[in-house]
Amino acid sequence: MNNLLEDFNQSLHKGFIDRTISHKGNFMPKLLINNKEENVLSTIINELYKCKSFTISVAFITESGLASLKSHLYDLNQKGIKGKIITSNYLGFNTPKMYKELLKFNNVDVRLTDVNGFHAKGYVFEHEHYASMIVGSSNLTSNALKVNYEHNILLSTQKNGDLVYNVKAQFDELWEKSSPLSNAWIKEYELTYDERNLKNAIRITQEQNEIQNNIDQAVKIEPNIMQKEALHSLAELRKSGKDKSLIISATGTGKTILCALDVRSYNPNKFLFIVHNEEILRKAIEEFKKVLPFSKDEDFGLLTGKNKAIHSKYLFATIQTLSKDDIYSQFDQNHFDYIVYDEAHRSAAKSYQKVFNYFTPNFVLGMTATPERTDNLNIFEMFDYNFAYEIRLQKALESEILCPFHYFGVTDYVRDGKATDDFSSLTDLTSNERVKHILEKTQYYGYSGDELKGLIFVSRKDEAKDLAEKLTLHQVPSRALTGEDNSEKRQEAIEQLKSGEINYIITVNLFNEGIDIAPVNQIVMLRETESSIIFIQQLGRGLRKSDNKEYVTVIDFIGNYEKNYLIPVALSGDQSQNKDNYRRFLTSNTVLSGVSTINFEEIAKKKIYDSLKQAKLSAASHIKQAYNEVEQRIGRMPLLMDFIRQNSIDPSVIYSSESNYKNYHEFLVKSKKIEDQLTENEKLNLTFLSREIAPGLKNVDHTILNTIIERPHKIQELLTLAQKVDPKVTLKDIETTLKILDYSFYSVTINKTYGEPIITISNDEVTLTKTFAASLENLLFKTYVEDIIQLAQYNNTTHHGNQNRLILYNKYTRKDFVKLLNWDKDESSTIYGYKSKHNTLPIFITYHKQDDISDNTKYEDEFLSPDELKWFTRSDKTLNSKEVIEIMAHKEKNIDMYIFVKKEDSADGKEYYFLGKAHYLEGTAEQTIMPNEKKNNVVTMTLSMEKPVQDEIYRYIIEE
């Protein structure tokens, strides 16, 4: 307890008196805000993750705010951890449905206070030996937890501290005077709430009607910011003489309105809109009429099986009808000025091709959410590789075009105490136990709005039909739809869902695209994720905004599937194939802008971790697939930068140590994309440039290389030029780069790996070596080099802030550290766990050790908190060892200590997260023996982080 008191004293001293001191203790006050790097929600989740119990006292709570905590409260319930919430009906802000959601938490007691003007915003978390609390401006609403400009303070105190005592005493007093939340109270509250809202709705409707009457004759839909950008791009394409273009737009982002806006601007004499589905066609006409309000109804016509309005100015046709020889031949080839192919990824099919090749309009526009195809047909080629604009899911969410969503990765049915994905028979897929499990999860995670309107995606047609019957028997009216159902039956089911006659439509892949059911407020995925494209298509079915919902609930039942790793790929939009990026994504609450959240139950998350461990994301098949997709998009052999521009794999995957290729040229040759036209030395030089320059670690590397390629320069000239790019560049930075380029930085055997050096230095003048200069005469080699320099510049700007220094939370290898800190030579292979040199002490820690490593290297380094790290020296060291004495005196000797940590070898390879500088805490060094053996002395000590490790990355690292 004395140590705990000392920890608090030092933490408070740092927090309130002197921020520069090293402190012992993990109780430092912290300001909580919402920005791209952190948010209030992350800290609340982190405290819940660590606590033994919790109490929350807030006036205002929204369903969306609760949704962002549901999976975490579920996991706490599994661990037996309980909490209390006090709220009220102050100002009538809280909805009756929100109160019903509160009653779902088995481990949370909820009470209502009738204190007049109750406006509290406090969160208290009980830990084993201390308590922490968040007080400030944040209610339990999604906007307050993730978006709004908020100020909150996280404080920690001893359990008998006066501050926490007073807060808890006030809470306990209020708790005793408050009434338990009950269904009876909610029913009573609903009456007054509905009456008040009805009056407000009538008043608002009257005001809106008055305004509408004044502007009805001047209605003109205007584009949102993303549509404006796309429209500008379309106009520029036409100005440059292009007559075809492709728009790639995420589901729900308004691509039909965008198209109508462009048509309004273009003003064609005759216009044709083509799609495969009559429901989509009718919806498109409605959208066009909104954008073209002064057009007459007779200007719009349908060309379908039953409708043949072929003389309409704006003709909307199904491809099934239009592609018939006796139909399209009725039109002159140049009859239409402007043709649109909606769901353009289908336009490579024969029926579309027949129409596409017949008509010769002035302009053709293709629109799709998913242009990638699994066959060999290339729609990019059809539209002359002209991209007007691309709107992906993440960008659309950032622009608030789509409805926010709360995604929940939940555990699939557990049979006989074991999670299973072996649903080989219909009996297993729709067993009573699994149906009960599905209902429990869907009801717990719920939906936004007053009435459930959901889509369920399953793996088999018979499963859809059987599940619909069983859900209906459980008082959840449902209907199955399959490809066997005609258009009338589909439309009938959609209307039943919209009207509330049924709660679910259950299908296999029928609604992956094209169907617009805006009121859908719950998406349920009851099948394995086989494709990230289909995953996003299905999730997108609920992302259209609608008055009946504030957000969409997405519930994904995750079994022991081989391709579970595709889930973070799809949700993040990150095609880099970097396993650690995907693992970290699973614990992050900052990856999506706005109030949307990604949540995984612990067991479900582990299933994805297991899948990632087994997946070979750098396999040749993945690289070839990425190459083919990019080649299809651009119509030529891609260069490395093309993978970046097309949001494809990280180019470094191609030539990583885990792949089969040392450089991009080797991949192209082995894949038979090109003939080998390089010398052996040129290929080795490409390997050097790919692995040492392309990562963009330092901006001086690519700047100097590019400068020397142009002409020779003096070293001082190079410094001057580099400082124009970055004023912080030092002569030492320049010298390190020159050592890298002339290979003097490396061992004497480096030529076997990297070939002849790139530069030579004589009389302070830097020139290209004759060998490298001669190689640049080879046009292919020169193209590769210029591409790598561009990639290095991109990587440095994007990932390293256009700097030559360590960036907090970036990932680095030991060699990266040596380069950035300008060591004389590459001594990375001898750093091992740590090494003190050039007034720097880098410490590299693998947090979760593999079982098969030797006992004398199985150090039990451990974070005691985000502020403190218990660290082990090498074995065979005592308190009297010279090395240990120097480490403890590192501050007096002006030696900077840098902490690098990776979660585990299988996830991170050679890269470690840089977590900042640290300092030895006086008096914490102890001499002991290695934990896993009875010999070999070792010294442990506590290191204090200069900055507490960010909540999300801290939780990611320490989680098993």
Side-chain angles (χ1 to χ4, degrees):
M1 190 56 69
N2 287 336
N3 287 340
L4 190 64
L5 182 59
E6 184 183 348
D7 288 356
F8 271 111
N9 288 338
Q10 294 199 29
S11 294
L12 292 172
H13 190 82
K14 183 179 180 74
F16 291 102
I17 300 172
D18 184 0
R19 64 184 290 271
T20 65
I21 68 165
S22 299
H23 73 293
K24 178 184 179 183
N26 51 19
F27 310 107
M28 198 175 75
K30 179 182 177 183
L31 176 67
L32 306 182
I33 58 175
N34 294 319
N35 57 34
K36 287 185 177 180
E37 284 74 42
E38 58 184 339
N39 51 51
V40 179
L41 177 62
S42 296
T43 302
I44 290 175
I45 290 172
N46 194 48
E47 291 297 318
L48 287 172
Y49 178 81
K50 298 183 295 184
C51 75
K52 302 298 181 184
S53 66
F54 62 92
T55 56
I56 297 174
S57 178
V58 286
F60 303 145
I61 308 176
T62 62
E63 291 177 57
S64 185
L66 284 181
S68 62
L69 294 178
K70 276 187 176 179
S71 65
H72 307 285
L73 293 176
Y74 172 83
D75 286 331
L76 290 180
N77 187 42
Q78 299 300 100
K79 299 173 186 175
I81 293 172
K82 297 183 178 182
K84 297 177 179 178
I85 293 178
I86 291 181
T87 187
S88 73
N89 62 347
Y90 180 54
L91 300 180
F93 177 89
N94 295 337
T95 67
K97 186 160 179 287
M98 185 284 298
Y99 289 117
K100 293 177 184 177
E101 294 296 310
L102 282 172
L103 290 179
K104 290 181 178 180
F105 304 127
N106 295 326
N107 57 329
V108 181
D109 289 330
V110 183
R111 291 195 178 183
L112 297 158
T113 176
D114 58 2
V115 169
N116 190 34
F118 180 75
H119 208 243
K121 303 172 189 69
Y123 306 77
V124 180
F125 307 91
E126 294 281 348
H127 302 280
E128 190 168 353
H129 299 298
Y130 70 98
S132 57
M133 66 185 74
I134 297 170
V135 291
S137 63
S138 288
N139 280 295
L140 216 170
T141 70
S142 283
N143 282 307
L145 299 182
K146 279 201 74 188
V147 178
N148 292 348
Y149 188 91
E150 304 276 345
H151 277 169
N152 299 275
I153 298 292
L154 171 66
L155 297 165
S156 298
T157 80
Q158 282 186 277
K159 288 212 170 186
N160 63 347
D162 187 60
L163 180 60
V164 73
Y165 174 81
N166 284 324
V167 170
K168 287 175 62 181
Q170 186 185 47
F171 183 94
D172 290 341
E173 182 182 350
L174 191 60
W175 182 262
E176 293 304 319
K177 294 178 181 178
S178 300
S179 305
L181 178 64
S182 67
N183 283 312
W185 182 90
I186 294 173
K187 285 181 181 178
E188 199 173 309
Y189 178 67
E190 275 182 311
L191 297 175
T192 58
Y193 185 86
D194 290 343
E195 184 179 340
R196 180 175 57 249
N197 280 3
L198 180 60
K199 290 178 180 178
N200 286 338
I202 292 171
R203 176 181 57 78
I204 292 169
T205 300
Q206 288 172 341
E207 291 174 357
Q208 288 175 336
N209 287 339
E210 289 175 13
I211 295 170
Q212 191 64 40
N213 288 335
N214 294 328
I215 65 171
D216 266 348
Q217 299 306 312
V219 170
K220 190 174 183 182
I221 291 180
E222 296 298 334
N224 60 42
I225 185 169
M226 297 178 79
Q227 288 168 339
K228 284 180 181 177
E229 293 174 4
L231 290 169
H232 175 74
S233 181
L234 282 168
E236 291 299 309
L237 276 169
R238 285 194 287 264
K239 278 183 186 178
S240 66
K242 308 293 185 184
D243 61 2
K244 298 185 186 73
S245 184
L246 194 61
I247 291 280
I248 301 171
S249 180
T251 301
T253 54
K255 64 179 186 293
T256 307
I257 290 287
L258 166 62
C259 165
L261 288 164
D262 193 53
V263 170
R264 185 173 77 184
S265 173
Y266 192 94
N267 192 24
N269 291 318
K270 292 289 184 178
F271 167 77
L272 175 63
F273 186 100
I274 307 170
V275 76
H276 67 286
N277 182 290
E278 190 170 334
E279 293 108 295
I280 302 174
L281 212 58
R282 293 183 181 277
K283 181 64 177 176
I285 289 181
E286 291 176 20
E287 302 282 80
F288 268 75
K289 285 182 176 179
K290 292 176 187 175
V291 177
L292 305 169
F294 302 111
S295 296
K296 301 172 185 177
D297 281 347
E298 55 263 32
D299 288 340
F300 299 88
L302 282 170
L303 180 56
T304 64
K306 296 179 180 179
N307 301 278
K308 301 293 186 296
I310 62 174
H311 299 296
S312 302
K313 178 176 180 178
Y314 303 107
L315 184 60
F316 293 77
T318 60
I319 189 63
Q320 292 88 338
T321 301
L322 182 61
S323 61
K324 292 177 179 177
D325 293 346
D326 62 331
I327 299 294
Y328 73 80
S329 61
Q330 295 181 45
F331 300 93
D332 289 337
Q333 287 181 290
N334 59 357
H335 180 82
F336 297 103
D337 306 287
Y338 191 135
I339 296 180
V340 168
Y341 291 86
D342 196 12
E343 306 298 344
H345 53 281
R346 293 175 171 266
S347 59
K350 287 183 180 179
S351 57
Y352 278 91
Q353 284 293 296
K354 189 188 295 185
V355 173
F356 193 91
N357 293 325
Y358 178 78
F359 288 109
T360 56
N362 296 329
F363 190 71
V364 180
L365 177 64
M367 301 189 302
T368 179
T370 52
E372 296 84 2
R373 291 178 59 91
T374 54
D375 55 33
N376 294 321
L377 297 171
N378 188 350
I379 70 162
F380 301 97
E381 182 180 8
M382 288 176 56
F383 292 91
D384 296 343
Y385 305 102
N386 294 327
F387 289 95
Y389 202 66
E390 182 166 5
I391 307 171
R392 291 292 189 178
L393 173 65
Q394 286 70 24
K395 189 173 182 181
L397 285 169
E398 288 174 14
S399 301
E400 299 183 349
I401 291 174
L402 298 177
C403 180
F405 68 88
H406 294 292
Y407 168 93
F408 300 98
V410 306
T411 313
D412 208 338
Y413 170 58
V414 176
R415 183 173 59 201
D416 299 328
K418 295 182 179 179
T420 181
D421 64 335
D422 184 21
F423 298 120
S424 55
S425 69
L426 181 62
T427 306
D428 292 326
L429 284 166
T430 59
S431 67
N432 291 333
E433 292 80 6
R434 192 180 190 221
V435 171
K436 181 182 177 183
H437 178 73
I438 291 167
L439 284 168
E440 285 175 353
K441 292 295 184 183
T442 54
Q443 289 169 4
Y444 177 78
Y445 288 109
Y447 53 90
S448 172
D450 297 327
E451 198 169 30
L452 171 61
K453 300 178 189 296
L455 290 180
I456 299 179
F457 293 96
V458 295
S459 55
R460 292 166 43 170
K461 292 178 183 179
D462 53 358
E463 177 189 2
K465 294 173 182 176
D466 204 22
L467 185 59
E469 290 178 7
K470 292 194 173 181
L471 289 178
T472 302
L473 288 174
H474 282 84
Q475 311 307 312
V476 184
S478 305
R479 179 168 173 176
L481 278 183
T482 72
E484 299 164 0
D485 294 308
N486 60 28
S487 177
E488 287 75 16
K489 286 187 177 180
R490 297 180 193 182
Q491 194 57 42
E492 180 185 294
I494 291 170
E495 292 306 319
Q496 287 179 318
L497 186 70
K498 288 180 177 179
S499 68
E501 188 177 340
I502 60 174
N503 293 128
Y504 284 119
I505 293 176
I506 307 174
T507 184
V508 184
N509 288 321
L510 189 61
F511 285 172
N512 287 1
E513 60 188 22
I515 300 299
D516 181 9
I517 316 177
V520 165
N521 53 15
Q522 189 187 84
I523 301 288
V524 181
M525 299 178 177
L526 276 172
R527 78 294 167 274
E528 179 180 3
T529 299
E530 291 281 359
S531 159
S532 58
I533 294 170
I534 292 175
F535 181 96
I536 290 300
Q537 285 178 332
Q538 294 179 345
L539 182 147
R541 292 304 100 205
L543 296 185
R544 293 187 187 275
K545 289 185 174 181
S546 177
D547 291 339
N548 73 305
K549 64 188 181 186
E550 293 181 11
Y551 62 90
V552 182
T553 301
V554 182
I555 307 170
D556 191 2
F557 287 79
I558 298 172
N560 299 319
Y561 302 129
E562 181 183 345
K563 292 187 178 180
N564 278 338
Y565 68 86
L566 289 174
I567 294 172
V569 174
L571 286 168
S572 66
D574 178 359
Q575 300 296 322
S576 67
Q577 307 301 301
N578 185 300
K579 286 188 179 184
D580 184 58
N581 287 356
Y582 300 142
R583 290 175 64 107
R584 187 177 168 191
F585 174 86
L586 299 179
T587 59
S588 175
N589 292 296
T590 58
V591 290
L592 293 180
S593 297
V595 302
S596 297
T597 59
I598 307 289
N599 310 272
F600 292 91
E601 293 176 1
E602 287 300 319
I603 296 174
K605 189 190 301 180
K606 187 177 184 305
K607 293 181 187 299
I608 299 177
Y609 282 167
D610 292 343
S611 172
L612 280 167
K613 277 185 181 180
Q614 301 302 319
K616 295 181 179 179
L617 301 185
S618 60
S621 58
H622 283 279
I623 298 172
K624 288 175 183 176
Q625 180 183 345
Y627 175 93
N628 291 336
E629 288 174 357
V630 174
E631 185 183 44
Q632 275 198 343
R633 279 171 162 255
I634 64 177
R636 58 169 171 79
M637 184 189 86
L639 296 173
L640 295 174
M641 277 302 296
D642 290 313
F643 291 92
I644 298 292
R645 296 186 188 105
Q646 300 303 327
N647 190 38
S648 186
I649 64 170
D650 185 332
S652 66
V653 173
I654 300 172
Y655 44 78
S656 68
S657 57
E658 289 79 27
S659 78
N660 296 321
Y661 316 108
K662 298 184 179 69
N663 54 63
Y664 187 45
H665 176 75
E666 186 174 324
F667 161 75
L668 293 172
V669 172
K670 287 186 176 180
S671 302
K672 299 184 178 171
K673 305 296 182 183
I674 62 171
E675 296 294 324
D676 191 354
Q677 304 168 40
L678 302 185
T679 67
E680 284 305 309
N681 187 72
E682 286 167 352
K683 285 182 273 191
L684 293 175
N685 277 175
L686 279 184
T687 301
F688 164 76
L689 293 171
S690 301
R691 295 188 174 173
E692 304 292 342
I693 304 300
L697 186 66
K698 305 178 77 170
N699 61 38
V700 292
D701 290 347
H702 62 80
T703 300
I704 287 179
L705 177 57
N706 206 29
T707 301
I708 300 305
I709 287 174
E710 291 175 1
R711 65 173 179 83
H713 282 75
K714 296 285 187 182
I715 293 177
Q716 189 59 44
E717 288 177 327
L718 293 173
L719 176 60
T720 303
L721 287 168
Q723 286 177 338
K724 288 181 180 178
V725 176
D726 178 6
K728 296 178 182 177
V729 171
T730 65
L731 181 60
K732 196 73 176 171
D733 290 322
I734 301 294
E735 289 172 347
T736 300
T737 294
L738 295 176
K739 288 177 183 176
I740 290 169
L741 292 173
D742 74 3
Y743 293 3
S744 60
F745 185 73
Y746 305 99
S747 68
V748 293
T749 61
I750 196 65
N751 300 71
K752 294 179 182 178
T753 306
Y754 288 155
E756 295 299 313
I758 308 301
I759 64 167
T760 183
I761 305 172
S762 178
N763 297 324
D764 204 34
E765 184 171 80
V766 185
T767 63
L768 294 178
T769 60
K770 290 181 180 179
T771 307
F772 191 75
S775 293
L776 289 175
E777 296 298 317
N778 180 337
L779 183 59
L780 178 62
F781 181 78
K782 185 179 181 182
T783 300
Y784 287 142
V785 172
E786 290 172 346
D787 184 37
I788 288 172
I789 291 173
Q790 284 187 46
L791 179 60
Q793 187 172 9
Y794 168 84
N795 283 334
N796 182 257
T797 302
T798 305
H799 304 302
H800 301 285
N802 199 28
Q803 302 283 325
N804 297 284
R805 61 182 179 83
L806 291 166
I807 306 292
L808 200 62
Y809 307 126
N810 268 16
K811 291 184 287 187
Y812 299 98
T813 64
R814 291 177 174 87
K815 187 193 286 186
D816 291 339
F817 175 85
V818 170
K819 287 181 178 179
L820 283 167
L821 273 295
N822 295 317
W823 283 23
D824 293 333
K825 297 273 187 182
D826 177 15
E827 299 183 45
S828 57
S829 62
T830 62
I831 290 179
Y832 304 112
Y834 60 93
K835 186 170 189 173
S836 180
K837 194 152 189 177
H838 303 302
N839 283 25
T840 62
L841 176 59
I843 296 175
F844 291 86
I845 296 168
T846 302
Y847 203 80
H848 298 285
K849 311 294 191 296
Q850 291 176 288
D851 293 335
D852 58 355
I853 66 171
S854 61
D855 285 340
N856 66 340
T857 58
K858 198 174 285 187
Y859 306 105
E860 294 186 353
D861 306 303
E862 177 188 13
F863 273 108
L864 304 176
S865 74
D867 301 86
E868 292 181 0
L869 174 67
K870 182 181 178 182
W871 177 66
F872 284 68
T873 65
R874 274 185 274 267
S875 60
D876 253 352
K877 294 291 178 279
T878 70
L879 288 170
N880 297 319
S881 299
K882 181 181 177 181
E883 178 182 287
V884 174
I885 292 170
E886 184 176 77
I887 291 172
M888 291 191 293
H890 76 99
K891 287 182 70 176
E892 292 78 9
K893 292 179 177 289
N894 292 317
I895 298 172
D896 288 329
M897 183 184 294
Y898 301 85
I899 305 299
F900 296 85
V901 178
K902 65 178 174 180
K903 186 179 181 75
E904 59 185 43
D905 286 328
S906 64
D908 306 321
K910 296 179 180 179
E911 292 187 316
Y912 296 73
Y913 285 102
F914 173 53
L915 302 185
K917 291 184 180 180
H919 303 285
Y920 165 65
L921 286 175
E922 292 291 335
T924 62
E926 294 181 3
Q927 183 176 314
T928 181
I929 58 173
M930 284 296 291
N932 301 295
E933 56 179 22
K934 296 182 179 179
K935 57 181 181 177
N936 281 335
N937 288 318
V938 69
V939 174
T940 69
M941 62 183 72
T942 302
L943 307 179
S944 168
M945 305 299 299
E946 278 194 358
K947 289 184 178 180
V949 180
Q950 200 175 78
D951 287 338
E952 287 179 359
I953 195 165
Y954 174 76
R955 199 152 38 89
Y956 165 66
I957 288 172
I958 67 173
E959 275 184 353
E960 291 287 349

